[in-house]
Amino acid sequence: MSALIETHDLTLRFGDRTVLRDVDFAIRPGEIVTVVGPNGSGKSSLMRALIGGLKPAAGRVTRARGLRVGYVPQKLVLDRTLPMTVRRFLSLPRRVTDEAAREALARAGAAGTGQQQLATLSGGQFQRVLLARALLDRPQLLILDEATAGLDQPGAAAFYRLIEDVRHDTGCAVLMVSHDLHVVMSASDRVICLNGHVCCEGTPQVVSEAPVYRALFGEGTRGALALYRHHHDHHHHGDAQSHDHPQAERHAEQAEA
């Protein structure tokens, strides 16, 4: 199956600093793929490159012809004194019909909020409104850059369940950046770990350990680690890389921390 979007030997730099190097990545129709990694590992930079907001220093990004992408940012800072309803927000910068707005809000779990002021929404409601806005163009690929930042664990879990429902109902692929390993792993078909390059990738697995996670995040993440089997038989620092990608169950059971 052809990729919706893929990168080939992608390298990203800010000035003299290389934030990502030699990244080969692809996402195919219907997949849910999660990108994890420590702060500064290049996760958000990869998302920016995929949507065209950051020019590669080397390598290339290839998109399917006419690809429709919906994007939910990590945060959107609005002036709390700005009088703007949810309905008006959904029509910026391009006006949408009332029917399209109602449908998007309902699909995002925010039905009935159209006439509310943005400033009155809770954090979870606001993220659902951002999701509704991303769904307006019926995307083939939905990209979420730490969209649950600032939500508590139950709120984040509910949001990820909503994303699974959206994928099921619309057939769109989903690419997520997340720190919520214990919540998001079991919702993913594939997980990619970044730390300036692709450290490892594969499908979630029950009661498996990932040494690279312990090295990056500490022993306290063992409960999350149990959701992921790590296949890490490649070399770092510019050497040739190879990955083993066995078939695995799509969903993993929650392991005890």
Side-chain angles (χ1 to χ4, degrees):
M1 190 178 295
S2 299
L4 295 174
I5 194 165
E6 56 188 325
T7 71
H8 305 273
D9 297 324
L10 179 69
T11 294
L12 301 175
R13 295 192 182 99
F14 290 120
D16 295 332
R17 184 170 67 91
T18 298
V19 294
L20 273 180
R21 68 174 187 274
D22 302 329
V23 173
D24 291 323
F25 163 84
I27 184 168
R28 292 171 175 79
E31 277 193 300
I32 294 184
V33 177
T34 300
V35 178
V36 299
N39 291 333
S41 61
K43 304 184 299 297
S44 291
S45 296
L46 175 60
M47 300 304 109
R48 289 178 59 193
L50 293 178
I51 63 176
L54 186 60
K55 184 178 179 180
R60 68 184 189 276
V61 178
T62 305
R63 301 174 185 86
R65 184 181 298 273
L67 178 66
R68 299 188 306 276
V69 178
Y71 178 67
V72 180
Q74 179 176 354
K75 60 182 177 180
L76 182 63
V77 179
L78 295 174
D79 185 340
R80 301 289 292 182
T81 65
L82 181 68
M84 182 179 293
T85 64
V86 168
R87 176 65 185 86
R88 186 175 180 188
F89 175 70
L90 293 182
S91 279
L92 297 176
R94 180 175 57 83
R95 183 167 179 79
V96 300
T97 66
D98 289 341
E99 181 180 357
R102 283 195 299 269
E103 181 180 336
L105 287 170
R107 189 175 296 282
T113 61
Q115 298 309 309
Q116 286 187 235
Q117 292 289 323
L118 288 177
T120 67
L121 299 177
S122 67
Q125 286 177 318
F126 187 60
Q127 289 306 108
R128 288 170 186 256
V129 168
L130 290 179
L131 175 60
R133 193 167 186 264
L135 293 175
L136 282 169
D137 288 329
R138 302 182 183 276
Q140 297 160 285
L141 173 61
L142 181 61
I143 297 179
L144 303 102
D145 186 1
E146 297 196 46
T148 61
L151 301 185
D152 59 17
Q153 185 172 327
F159 190 83
Y160 288 128
R161 286 194 297 271
L162 175 62
I163 294 303
E164 285 190 280
D165 291 341
V166 167
R167 191 272 294 263
H168 179 269
D169 293 342
T170 68
C172 71
V174 179
L175 178 61
M176 299 188 286
V177 172
S178 181
H179 283 300
D180 302 318
L181 304 182
H182 58 296
V183 174
V184 79
M185 288 286 196
S186 61
S188 303
D189 297 315
R190 188 156 48 96
V191 179
I192 298 172
C193 181
L194 292 182
N195 192 23
H197 63 293
V198 177
C199 292
C200 55
E201 61 178 300
T203 50
Q205 289 284 323
V206 177
V207 193
S208 297
E209 292 191 356
V212 68
Y213 276 163
R214 291 198 298 273
L216 291 174
F217 300 112
E219 289 290 336
T221 61
R222 290 184 66 88
L225 296 176
L227 294 173
Y228 183 71
R229 168 169 281 173
H230 176 218
H231 298 281
H232 195 232
D233 57 357
H234 64 273
H235 301 287
H236 290 178
H237 308 300
D239 293 335
Q241 297 184 0
S242 63
H243 298 267
D244 183 17
H245 304 289
Q247 294 297 315
E249 299 174 56
R250 187 171 71 85
H251 290 287
E253 295 178 2
Q254 180 75 33
E256 293 184 3

